[in-house]
Amino acid sequence: MPRSRHVTSCAFFALSVGLAWPAAAQIGTTPPPPRPSGPAEDTTGPDIVVTGSLIRGTPEDAAIPVDVISSDELSKQGTPSAVDLLKNLPTSSGVIGDANQFDSRSQGNEGVASVNLRGLGPQRTLVLLNGKRLVPIGGAIPIVDINLIPSGAIGRVEVLKDGAAATYGSDAIAGVVNFITRTDQNGFLAAGDYRYIRGSSGDYTANLSFGHNRDGLHFLASVGYQHRSELRTTDRDFTVQPYPNNPQGGYTGGGNPGNFGFAGTANFVRDLGCEGLGGFRSQAGSTTDRCFNNYGQFGNLVEPEDRIQAYVEGSAQLTDKLKLSVSALYGYSSTRITTSPTYLPTLPPSANAASGGAGLFVIPTYAPALRDYCALYGAASGCVTAGGVPLAPAIAFPVLFRPALLGGNPLFLNHNGDDRGSAYSKRVSDEMRFTADLSYDVTPDINLTGGFTYSEYYRESEGTDTFGDLLQNALAGFGGPNCAFATPQSRAGLTAAQIAALAGTNGCTFFNPFSTAVAANGATGVANPNYAGSRNPGGFNLAPGAGLINDLATFDNFFRTTNTRYTTRLLVGDLVLSGKTGLRLPGGDLSFAVGGQYRRNDYSVLYNNDSNIAVNPCPGSPLNPAATCAQQTGALGFLGTNANLSTSNDIKAVFGELQLPVLDRLNLQLSARFEDYGGRVGSTFNPQGRVRLQVTDWLALRGGAGTTFRGPPAQQLSGNLTALQIIGTSFRAVDINGNPNLSPEKATTYSAGILLHSGGFSASLDYYRYKLKGPIEGEPIQGMVNALFGASGTANCGNPAFAALQARFTFTGAGCGVANVQRLRTLVINSANVTTSGLDFQAAYRFGLGAANLEVGGNGTYVIEYRTKDITVEGVVVQPAFDGVGLLNYQTTAYPIPQIKGTAYVQGALGGHSLRLQYNYIDGYTDQRGSAIFGPNAGALAGASVTAGKNIKPFGTFDATYRLVLRGTGSTLTFSALNIFDKAPPFARLDQNYDPFTASPLGFTAKVGVSQKF
């Protein structure tokens, strides 16, 4: 993180402490006992603003479908982490939070957690803190990082299960989640917990807060820290499976040991050291003889992570009519991505590299590595030799090998606790937000409030990749940082014999790409029986870099670290006049709110030289700054190269709302909003109406309809990002380009519900329906691949009707074919319309049993439909219309959508004791992919089919939490057992053998927490 950001962070923390200290001094050293926080209805005063309304004093029983989760309720559940809470929330699907680097929708978001109401995408759920916006992170999908919300200061969470753009503006399509801080704390509250997780060092948190409410002054300050410990894929049995169990379970046909063409042929076959290092070799009778490596064993299920939040808020009654409220938030997180030792060098070397320019990587006949390999394996190697010298070079297809995999990355191996040789790259987030409100009571019934919000999110991400031309130089003996003949100019005019004689001299070194250079499997530790360093083959120089044993300097020369720095900023100014009109309806006073808002969104991204296309536009640029290329792809082999970008947009809005108590039992809410984005994007107008009818004392009806919208984020109107996705059998780079012609997406929403309340029984049943038009999405990668290549891998190559779609793909010199894809170019578009509907239900029965209070309840969501219309790319239907309910929806525009999701619980309280037992259920769903996944595998399994994982089983877990409140001491102890029966997540044909969007990989965990008021 840049020094200036450290200074800002330290200054903010000092400000928080400085503000907290005078307030602490005011109450003396022996403050009165703090008033305990009760449920939401106990802390709600007449002047609060309920989520979903802009009118102060709106009753909580209005027509707005809001669920309230109090801090007391969360405490009874063992104070779940944000990720645990959201994965169990019935209305939320497709949650970003656990390590999930293999899906483009979560790549780059390590350490970030999101809310995804209705499964419509986290970018369509508006997240608020005390009713005010938080800036989204930069990246492919702009989402709010709830990990940096100050959990130690939160008093309740309100979930509005309905579109609310008429009230809040853009992004509130699926609903709103409003985190609300405590307003009733007096004194200090310290809390901490530790969570045992088998295979890791556990997770732990600590929070300290101070509150003061007296003499017209409200003050709250909170500091929190959370730590997650690393949990490796190898710490769970289900995550690394044999290839015949799941060919998609973290396997690649482009690894190390790799696949090469010998004797001048393009018949790429396995490195014969494949099985000795733990690779899988195609079974006899298969159409290819290839080596498949498992990269999954080098990853993590949970990345090590540290987070800090500091928050302070205060309000003061300046006069009888004037009130000032301010707040400041700072959040910081540090984590990493732990991944494959190296990635595929998908770009072939240019003619600027030694032996380059033929569309392939080449190991020359003079290379000691090739000569040793041919001698070691003899005729079985496929080499043709004369006098021990190969007659033809070995060739390597860019997507069928890589510099390192099963042996680990030597630059990381045994550094910082990395005993596998995984590559890892940092992810650092830095967020700050400042708000100020000035509220003036124009009359006793009318209030004018002006608000200001500034929010900024800084994200620094690193990556690892390869300069293909420098790798090719090393294969030819011209590698290393000190090679005198590395550049094409230094070799100009030399004959082939002269080049062969110079290779490996004058500071130049070799890189051995074969298994003979690998001492052992980095993940398992199994020694390689054919390692050159232990065989000591005669006639070869065994010095590192001389040809057989690789040296760090050579590897470090072509292995590069990318750095990307995103900054998003949000500035909001609004003015709201609200209160009573003076008109009285039969049911009460007619209330109103009118106002205007200005928002400015700024987005910038900066790349370091290695990943900046202005510095390295072509594969040959690192060797020759004057290098040219037909298409500027950059020099990196896999992650792609991008241009710096800075963009912004301004939004102006006016809005209004009416609360109409038509009768004592009938309440209407009417609201509307107009927003203008200017330029090509244009404007949008959205009305909304809600109604609630109290039919009897125990029965109420509610419903609503309206339109809602989401404007295109600044970063999706221009620029581009690179994601990684499986195409064929290996990951490929996918460029996601912005689109200046995007329009706001709009949705029409409908809801209707029944509410029951009688004695200790309460229940609700709500129907919802969303009709989303023109959702802003990236084009569906899997659909584009399937449409062009089909089951055969070349189905529509050369078909004139598919020419424009084919032009989106970049291929190796072998031409059009799924196995030859190097990268794919996609756009952000206004995609096909989506319609989703379902039912939300919840019920609870509270009763007394002697001195004990008992409660039995449950809640859940049943999704009726999630229909997406045809998606067309370049005139071709690439994703036919489908209903995504009960489907995995892999690489489509939908997230996994189980049809049923819910919880059931029973809890009791006796004195200071409480016990809660909870069952969490996620319905099973189906992987809708076809024969390419579940059909015959001719290339590696001799035509056998692997059908397991087609139906992903339900996931049900039991939790138990015991809480002890030591009355009179201010102490509370909590003990939780989560996933009591240690149930593993259901098997899915994905890289980690489970679905990280939906299930948890942790198994049984135990948690102990303590809090102390003083």
Side-chain angles (χ1 to χ4, degrees):
M1 187 165 55
R3 180 180 181 274
S4 62
R5 292 196 166 271
H6 280 301
V7 172
T8 302
S9 304
C10 294
F12 180 93
F13 185 76
L15 173 63
S16 300
V17 174
L19 288 170
W21 181 253
Q26 290 175 26
I27 64 171
T29 57
T30 56
R35 179 162 54 90
S37 297
E41 58 267 24
D42 294 338
T43 60
T44 299
D47 62 343
I48 68 106
V49 179
V50 175
T51 301
S53 175
L54 298 173
I55 300 173
R56 292 182 178 274
T58 297
E60 285 195 317
D61 63 353
I64 307 166
V66 175
D67 289 343
V68 180
I69 309 171
S70 69
S71 58
D72 186 65
E73 175 67 17
L74 292 174
S75 177
K76 291 176 180 178
Q77 297 181 36
T79 315
S81 68
V83 173
D84 291 337
L85 175 66
L86 295 170
K87 283 195 172 182
N88 286 334
L89 191 66
T91 53
S92 182
S93 298
V95 174
I96 294 174
D98 284 320
N100 190 9
Q101 61 178 290
F102 304 112
D103 193 291
S104 60
R105 293 168 291 190
S106 56
Q107 284 172 2
N109 289 328
E110 291 77 19
V112 174
S114 71
V115 188
N116 187 359
L117 296 180
R118 308 300 185 201
L120 287 169
Q123 67 272 35
R124 296 184 182 91
T125 297
L126 180 63
V127 178
L128 305 174
L129 177 60
N130 289 330
K132 293 185 176 292
R133 287 174 175 263
L134 292 152
V135 67
I137 69 172
I141 299 178
I143 58 178
V144 170
D145 182 5
I146 65 170
N147 272 340
L148 296 186
I149 289 176
S151 58
I154 300 302
R156 67 184 188 274
V157 182
E158 295 185 352
V159 181
L160 172 58
K161 304 175 297 182
D162 193 8
T167 302
Y168 295 109
S170 180
D171 305 338
I173 281 186
V176 179
V177 177
N178 190 6
F179 293 84
I180 301 174
T181 54
R182 290 189 296 275
T183 59
D184 61 346
Q185 181 175 334
N186 280 293
F188 285 94
L189 174 64
D193 59 61
Y194 172 80
R195 186 177 187 181
Y196 161 80
I197 300 173
R198 175 174 54 86
S200 88
S201 298
D203 299 348
Y204 42 90
T205 71
N207 293 289
L208 176 64
S209 61
F210 171 81
H212 173 77
N213 292 279
R214 188 179 298 172
D215 302 325
L217 176 66
H218 162 71
F219 179 82
L220 176 68
S222 172
V223 177
Y225 170 75
Q226 299 90 40
H227 172 81
R228 298 190 80 185
S229 296
E230 178 185 48
L231 181 68
R232 297 181 174 186
T233 53
T234 50
D235 291 324
R236 292 292 182 268
D237 294 337
F238 63 84
T239 52
V240 182
Q241 297 280 337
Y243 184 92
N245 288 8
N246 183 11
Q248 289 71 42
Y251 283 92
T252 176
N256 186 314
N259 302 281
F260 301 91
F262 298 97
T265 72
N267 179 29
F268 296 96
V269 295
R270 73 293 157 270
D271 181 322
L272 285 170
C274 175
E275 293 165 294
L277 273 169
F280 175 81
R281 181 178 176 182
S282 299
Q283 293 177 351
S286 298
T287 56
T288 65
D289 185 9
R290 298 274 172 84
C291 181
F292 297 87
N293 293 197
N294 184 273
Y295 54 78
Q297 61 194 311
F298 292 91
N300 283 342
L301 292 168
V302 177
E303 297 288 3
E305 182 180 350
D306 292 282
R307 298 193 298 266
I308 298 172
Q309 303 96 16
Y311 177 77
V312 59
E313 71 178 31
S315 63
Q317 199 71 43
L318 303 180
T319 70
D320 290 342
K321 295 184 176 183
L322 190 63
K323 181 179 180 180
L324 175 66
S325 302
V326 296
S327 74
L329 165 69
Y330 172 73
Y332 170 83
S333 73
S334 175
T335 185
R336 72 188 194 195
I337 179 175
T338 306
T339 187
S340 299
T342 62
Y343 293 138
L344 290 169
T346 60
L347 293 179
S350 73
N352 293 280
S355 299
L360 298 164
F361 287 89
V362 177
I363 303 96
T365 58
Y366 61 77
L370 180 59
R371 295 187 177 189
D372 172 64
Y373 180 89
C374 295
L376 174 64
Y377 292 109
S381 68
C383 302
V384 176
T385 62
V389 177
L391 298 180
I395 54 177
F397 210 43
V399 295
L400 291 178
F401 93 112
R402 67 183 71 191
L405 208 163
L406 292 184
N409 187 314
L411 298 176
F412 293 90
L413 186 62
N414 297 322
H415 287 79
N416 297 322
D418 185 356
D419 56 4
R420 293 177 292 178
S422 306
Y424 52 83
S425 304
K426 72 176 181 180
R427 303 283 192 266
V428 174
S429 295
D430 197 3
E431 181 178 22
M432 62 184 67
R433 192 188 80 157
F434 302 92
T435 72
D437 281 351
L438 192 62
S439 176
Y440 178 70
D441 292 331
V442 180
T443 72
D445 295 325
I446 296 178
N447 175 268
L448 178 65
T449 298
F452 165 83
T453 301
Y454 175 79
S455 187
E456 178 177 315
Y457 195 104
Y458 170 84
R459 175 84 166 172
E460 183 176 5
S461 298
E462 289 188 344
T464 57
D465 207 344
T466 299
F467 275 166
D469 274 35
L470 297 188
L471 171 59
Q472 176 56 54
N473 258 12
L475 294 174
F478 294 95
N482 302 310
C483 179
F485 293 91
T487 66
Q489 294 83 356
S490 64
R491 300 187 304 273
L494 297 178
T495 66
Q498 290 173 320
I499 288 176
L502 287 171
T505 67
N506 295 282
C508 303
T509 52
F510 280 97
F511 178 75
N512 179 0
F514 300 113
S515 59
T516 53
V518 181
N521 184 300
T524 66
V526 175
N528 179 9
N530 293 310
Y531 173 51
S534 58
R535 285 188 293 110
N536 296 318
F540 291 96
N541 185 346
L542 296 182
L548 297 192
I549 299 175
N550 293 324
D551 69 314
L552 289 179
T554 301
F555 198 97
D556 192 36
N557 188 50
F558 62 72
F559 186 78
R560 316 299 290 191
T561 297
T562 67
N563 181 279
T564 307
R565 287 164 287 165
Y566 305 95
T567 303
T568 51
R569 298 182 180 90
L570 173 66
L571 175 67
V572 183
D574 45 40
L575 188 67
V576 180
L577 181 70
S578 68
K580 299 176 181 179
T581 62
L583 300 176
R584 186 168 180 83
L585 299 177
D589 292 308
L590 174 64
S591 300
F592 77 100
V594 294
Q597 185 180 77
Y598 169 80
R599 299 197 308 273
R600 179 180 176 87
N601 297 294
D602 294 297
Y603 169 81
S604 65
V605 57
L606 299 174
Y607 299 94
N608 71 342
N609 286 346
D610 284 354
S611 55
N612 192 326
I613 201 164
V615 179
N616 286 296
C618 298
S621 297
L623 292 174
N624 178 12
T628 60
C629 47
Q631 179 182 358
Q632 289 192 348
T633 58
L636 295 171
F638 193 65
L639 293 179
T641 306
N642 300 287
N644 292 343
L645 174 68
S646 179
T647 185
S648 64
N649 60 359
D650 297 271
I651 304 102
K652 304 175 185 68
V654 291
F655 47 84
E657 179 187 339
L658 289 175
Q659 288 282 352
L660 298 94
V662 180
L663 301 169
D664 286 342
R665 294 176 175 267
L666 179 63
N667 180 274
L668 294 177
Q669 180 198 40
L670 301 176
S671 54
R673 188 180 187 99
F674 174 82
E675 286 207 354
D676 183 16
Y677 284 77
R680 296 180 180 179
V681 177
S683 60
T684 179
F685 174 75
N686 294 272
Q688 188 166 46
R690 297 189 179 102
V691 60
R692 175 184 169 118
L693 174 63
Q694 191 72 41
V695 181
T696 69
D697 290 342
W698 56 270
L699 172 64
L701 304 177
R702 68 184 176 192
T707 63
T708 185
F709 71 97
R710 173 175 170 263
Q715 61 262 45
Q716 293 185 329
L717 291 168
S718 58
N720 75 297
L721 297 169
T722 301
L724 310 176
Q725 283 295 280
I726 290 284
I727 297 178
T729 60
S730 295
F731 276 92
R732 305 289 192 267
V734 177
D735 296 317
I736 305 170
N737 295 290
N739 182 353
N741 298 313
L742 292 174
S743 300
E745 58 187 42
K746 297 190 71 172
T748 303
T749 64
Y750 309 91
S751 64
I754 301 173
L755 297 91
L756 303 173
H757 183 81
S758 179
F761 177 75
S762 62
S764 67
L765 177 66
D766 286 288
Y767 169 81
Y768 66 86
R769 181 177 177 84
Y770 295 76
K771 297 181 71 174
L772 180 59
K773 181 180 180 181
I776 299 169
E777 300 279 5
E779 293 168 327
I781 298 165
Q782 192 63 43
M784 296 172 70
V785 171
N786 292 342
L788 182 61
F789 304 114
S792 68
T794 58
N796 290 300
C797 288
N799 185 334
F802 289 76
L805 180 61
Q806 182 175 324
R808 294 287 198 94
F809 294 82
T810 301
F811 300 100
T812 65
C816 181
V818 70
N820 308 328
V821 174
Q822 291 179 318
R823 64 193 312 114
L824 168 63
R825 178 173 56 88
T826 68
L827 291 172
V828 179
I829 60 171
N830 286 108
S831 191
N833 297 350
V834 175
T835 299
T836 183
S837 63
L839 298 170
D840 296 326
F841 52 92
Q842 56 186 12
Y845 179 58
R846 302 170 181 86
F847 59 97
L849 185 63
N853 294 314
L854 301 179
E855 181 177 340
V856 179
N859 60 81
T861 294
Y862 177 87
V863 186
I864 298 172
E865 63 177 337
Y866 192 103
R867 297 186 181 276
T868 300
K869 292 188 176 181
D870 291 345
I871 297 179
T872 301
V873 176
E874 303 291 1
V876 176
V877 175
V878 299
Q879 182 177 290
F882 73 102
D883 187 346
V885 175
L887 298 180
L888 175 64
N889 299 318
Y890 179 75
Q891 282 192 7
T892 69
T893 52
Y895 286 81
I897 303 177
Q899 186 156 50
I900 301 173
K901 187 178 179 183
T903 63
Y905 65 90
V906 56
Q907 66 184 27
L910 178 63
H913 304 270
S914 69
L915 176 66
R916 180 184 177 104
L917 303 176
Q918 179 169 307
Y919 176 65
N920 312 295
Y921 177 79
I922 300 173
D923 204 13
Y925 46 109
T926 300
D927 186 337
Q928 73 265 47
R929 291 177 292 174
S931 60
I933 303 298
F934 298 100
N937 185 335
L941 297 178
S945 298
V946 182
T947 58
K950 181 71 174 177
N951 294 312
I952 302 168
K953 295 180 179 180
F955 187 48
T957 59
F958 286 90
D959 302 335
T961 297
Y962 168 73
R963 188 178 68 166
L964 174 61
V965 178
L966 300 175
R967 295 181 173 179
T969 68
S971 301
T972 300
L973 302 176
T974 307
F975 305 91
S976 299
L978 309 174
N979 193 353
I980 295 172
F981 299 108
D982 195 24
K983 188 168 183 179
F987 173 64
R989 292 287 289 278
L990 300 173
D991 298 85
Q992 295 174 314
N993 293 289
Y994 89 107
D995 174 14
F997 280 124
T998 307
S1000 169
L1002 301 182
F1004 168 77
T1005 67
K1007 188 174 183 179
V1008 57
V1010 60
S1011 67
Q1012 179 67 52
K1013 298 176 182 179
F1014 55 95

